[in-house]
Amino acid sequence: RNVVGVVVVEKFGVFVRLIEDGFLRRVPCILICGRGYPSLATQACLMVIAREVESRSIPILGLADFNPHGFALLDTYRWVQKLSFDTTH
């Protein structure tokens, strides 16, 4: 099955709800939950995924709160994604 995107979710409750509502059946994607600020393991996992999807032009999307903490969290993931691309070139 082809993946159309990667979705990184901030909150575990939202992550569970997406799965319960059948989001993955409707949108074939990789769904990752960081449970707030990402652990080193989550960052490493996302770096590997980002390297793989870069050549296929698959987007990596973030789902977080619309507040300063949510923006800071998404910026952390953006930094991880940028780092994964910078180290491959």
Side-chain angles (χ1 to χ4, degrees), residues 35-88:
R35 292 185 172 206
Y37 283 90
S39 67
L40 293 177
T42 303
Q43 291 179 38
C45 178
L46 187 59
M47 283 178 68
V48 170
I49 291 170
R51 285 186 192 129
E52 289 297 317
V53 301
E54 177 188 23
S55 63
R56 299 181 184 119
S57 299
I58 295 173
I60 298 176
L61 308 170
L63 182 59
D65 289 338
F66 188 71
N67 61 30
H69 295 291
F71 290 122
L73 179 121
L74 291 177
D75 196 46
T76 301
Y77 281 110
R78 194 175 63 178
W79 176 82
V80 169
Q81 183 181 357
K82 181 179 178 347
L83 180 64
S84 73
F85 295 152
D86 288 347
T87 58
T88 60

Side-chain angles (χ1 to χ4, degrees), residues 7-11 14 18 61-65 73-74:
V7 180
V8 181
V9 182
E10 172 189 10
K11 300 209 182 285
V14 174
L18 289 170
L61 308 170
L63 182 59
D65 289 338
L73 179 121
L74 291 177

Side-chain angles (χ1 to χ4, degrees), residues 2-35:
N2 292 331
V3 172
V4 298
V6 178
V7 180
V8 181
V9 182
E10 172 189 10
K11 300 209 182 285
F12 183 69
V14 174
F15 177 81
V16 170
R17 182 64 187 258
L18 289 170
I19 292 172
E20 289 175 349
D21 288 349
F23 180 75
L24 293 173
R25 283 190 301 274
R26 288 177 283 183
V27 181
C29 66
I30 299 170
L31 193 60
I32 299 173
C33 181
R35 292 185 172 206

